[in-house]
C-alpha cells in the first residue's frame, strides 16, 4: 500500500460550533479510529500478538515463545497478516460509518443525525474546562484548547481537548461503570482513547512526544481521584500500522462514494 503523508491545516473553532461541524463533514476523525480498525472474522488476541511480534522484527521462533504458542501458527490468515494484508471484514458499525462519510463527502455537510448533541457530549463539554484546569495544575503547564487538525484533502482529522508544548490531551468524563472499572481497578486505558491519541500525534504538526489520556470524574474528588492521568509516549511503529488501517478505510469510503454516484434512481422499474 502506498504511503500517505498528511498535509495538515489547523481550523480554529470551538467544539460543536458551526465551524467545528463543517470541518468534520466527510472526515475520518480520531474519535472513530478504533471503530474503523476493528474487523470481524479477523485475528484473535494471541494471533494479533504473534503477527505484531514478527512484523516488529522477531524471528518466528521468538514470536512463538513470546505469544505463548507451543509451535508457530501456520494459518493462512496469519501469513496474510504478516504480509501486511488486512484480515477479516469491517464491522457493520464501520461500514455504516463509511456510508455516512461517503454521503457527507458528496454533500459537504454532516448528516442530520450528527447535528444533535447527546447527553454524554453535553456533559463532556461542560466538564472539559474543569478537566483542562486540573490537568494543567497536575503537570504545572498551561494547557489550552485546540481547534481541528485535519488533512487538507479532507480525509482525516483530530481535535485534541488539550494542547501544550510536547503534549496533547484527551479528557474523558466517563460515568458508566463499564468504562470506569477497567481504568480505576485495573489501570487499563480505554482502547478507543488510545487510538484517538495516536491519531492526534500522527496529525499534529508539532510532532507531539506524548499524549495524556485523562479520566476526569468529579464524583471521586473526595478521595483526590477526580483526575487520573495515563501518559502515552509516541510510538511511530504503532502509528505506522494505524495509518495503514486508516488509509485502507478511506479507500472503502471512496468506494462507497463512487457506488452512490453510480446508483440507479429507479429500482425495479419496468
Amino acid at each position: 500500500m502506498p504511503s500517505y503523508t498528511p498535509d495538515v491545516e489547523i481550523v480554529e473553532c470551538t467544539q460543536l460550533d458551526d465551524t467545528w461541524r463543517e470541518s468534520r463533514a466527510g472526515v475520518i476523525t480520531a474519535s472513530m479510529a478504533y471503530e474503523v480498525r476493528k474487523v470481524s472474522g479477523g485475528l484473535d488476541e494471541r494471533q494479533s500478538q504473534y503477527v505484531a511480534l514478527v512484523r516488529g522484527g522477531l524471528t518466528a521462533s521468538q514470536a512463538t515463545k513470546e505469544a505463548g504458542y507451543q509451535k508457530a501458527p501456520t494459518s493462512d490468515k496469519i501469513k496474510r497478516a504478516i504480509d501486511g494484508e488486512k484480515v477479516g471484514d469491517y464491522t457493520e458499525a464501520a461500514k455504516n460509518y463509511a456510508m455516512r462519510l461517503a454521503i457527507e463527502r458528496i454533500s459537504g455537510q454532516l448528516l442530520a443525525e450528527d447535528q444533535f448533541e447527546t447527553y454524554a457530549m453535553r456533559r463532556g463539554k461542560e466538564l472539559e474546562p474543569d478537566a483542562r484546569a486540573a490537568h494543567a495544575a497536575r503537570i504545572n503547564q498551561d494547557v489550552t484548547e485546540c481547534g481541528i487538525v485535519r488533512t487538507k484533502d479532507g480525509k482525516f482529522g483530530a481535535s485534541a481537548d488539550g494542547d501544550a508544548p510536547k503534549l496533547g490531551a484527551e479528557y474523558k468524563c466517563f460515568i458508566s461503570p463499564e468504562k470506569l472499572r477497567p481504568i480505576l481497578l485495573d489501570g487499563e486505558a480505554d482502547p478507543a482513547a488510545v487510538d484517538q491519541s495516536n491519531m492526534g500525534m500522527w496529525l499534529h504538526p508539532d510532532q507531539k512526544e506524548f499524549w495524556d489520556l485523562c479520566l476526569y470524574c468529579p464524583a471521586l474528588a473526595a478521595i483526590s481521584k477526580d483526575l487520573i492521568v495515563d501518559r502515552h509516549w509516541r510510538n511511530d511503529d504503532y502509528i505506522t500500522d494505524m495509518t495503514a488501517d486508516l488509509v485502507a478505510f478511506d479507500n472503502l469510503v471512496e468506494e462507497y462514494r463512487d457506488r452512490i454516484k453510480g446508483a440507479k434512481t429507479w429500482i425495479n422499474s419496468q
Side-chain angles (χ1 to χ4, degrees), residues 9 13 27 34 55 70-71 77 86 88 112 121 123-124 134 141 144-145 149 165 168 177 199 206 212 219 225 270:
E9 60 185 357
C13 57
V27 176
Y34 177 72
R55 288 177 60 82
Q70 295 296 318
K71 60 180 181 179
K77 65 180 180 180
K86 192 174 188 67
M121 293 172 67
R123 181 176 184 273
Q141 282 185 258
T144 61
E145 294 185 67
V149 179
M199 191 167 171
D206 290 348
D212 284 348
K225 302 290 185 181
Q270 293 183 349

Side-chain angles (χ1 to χ4, degrees), residues 1 5 10 31 43 52 79 88 93 103 111 145-146 149 152 157 163 248 267:
M1 180 180 297
T5 302
I10 297 179
S31 61
L43 303 178
K79 292 178 181 177
I103 294 173
L111 287 182
E145 294 185 67
C146 180
V149 179
K152 292 180 181 179
D163 182 69
I267 300 176

Side-chain angles (χ1 to χ4, degrees), residues 7-264:
D7 181 16
V8 301
E9 60 185 357
I10 297 179
V11 180
E12 298 297 339
C13 57
T14 302
Q15 190 176 34
L16 300 179
D17 70 9
D18 289 342
T19 302
W20 182 87
R21 295 182 191 280
E22 292 170 2
S23 299
R24 290 167 60 90
V27 176
I28 301 169
T29 62
S31 61
M32 291 296 292
Y34 177 72
E35 187 64 46
V36 307
R37 299 186 71 197
K38 290 193 298 186
V39 296
S40 58
L43 303 178
D44 61 28
E45 184 175 352
R46 188 163 63 162
Q47 289 171 331
S48 296
Q49 181 185 10
Y50 176 82
V51 170
L53 290 169
V54 172
R55 288 177 60 82
L58 293 189
T59 66
S61 177
Q62 292 170 327
T64 298
K65 182 178 180 180
E66 287 291 327
Y69 284 106
Q70 295 296 318
K71 60 180 181 179
T74 59
S75 73
D76 179 65
K77 65 180 180 180
I78 288 178
K79 292 178 181 177
R80 288 188 285 117
I82 291 174
D83 289 338
E85 183 180 336
K86 192 174 188 67
V87 178
D89 192 16
Y90 290 106
T91 64
E92 287 301 304
K95 291 178 181 178
N96 290 336
Y97 181 54
M99 186 68 176
R100 187 173 78 192
L101 292 176
I103 294 173
E104 290 178 356
R105 289 184 183 183
I106 292 171
S107 68
Q109 299 177 342
L110 291 178
L111 287 182
E113 66 183 75
D114 260 358
Q115 302 293 330
F116 298 100
E117 186 177 3
T118 65
Y119 170 74
M121 293 172 67
R122 184 169 66 253
R123 181 176 184 273
K125 183 179 179 181
E126 291 171 352
L127 291 178
E128 186 176 302
D130 293 337
R132 188 181 298 108
H135 180 220
R138 174 74 61 86
I139 65 176
N140 195 29
Q141 282 185 258
D142 289 334
V143 182
T144 61
E145 294 185 67
C146 180
I148 294 178
V149 179
R150 71 172 192 174
T151 56
K152 292 180 181 179
D153 58 16
K155 292 180 177 293
F156 307 101
S159 178
D161 295 330
D163 182 69
K166 298 184 178 181
L167 71 91
E170 299 295 335
Y171 305 126
K172 301 301 181 184
C173 304
F174 297 138
I175 54 175
S176 69
E178 293 85 353
K179 289 286 191 179
L180 292 172
R181 183 162 55 87
I183 298 173
L184 293 171
L185 299 187
D186 303 321
E188 297 178 359
D190 178 65
V194 172
D195 274 357
Q196 186 175 7
S197 66
N198 277 281
M199 191 167 171
M201 282 186 276
W202 171 53
L203 291 177
H204 205 287
D206 290 348
Q207 290 288 297
K208 300 297 187 184
E209 294 181 8
F210 49 86
W211 213 267
D212 284 348
L213 303 185
C214 302
L215 170 65
Y216 185 65
C217 185
L220 297 177
I223 57 171
S224 300
K225 302 290 185 181
D226 50 321
L227 182 70
I228 307 295
V229 180
D230 184 6
R231 178 159 291 179
H232 287 253
W233 294 86
R234 186 182 187 91
N235 183 330
D236 286 323
D237 289 337
Y238 188 101
I239 291 174
T240 296
D241 287 342
M242 179 193 68
T243 303
D245 291 341
L246 293 173
V247 171
F249 182 76
D250 177 69
N251 291 337
L252 178 66
V253 176
E254 289 298 302
E255 176 192 334
Y256 281 5
R257 179 163 70 166
D258 290 342
R259 291 174 64 183
I260 292 169
K261 288 181 176 180
K264 297 178 181 179

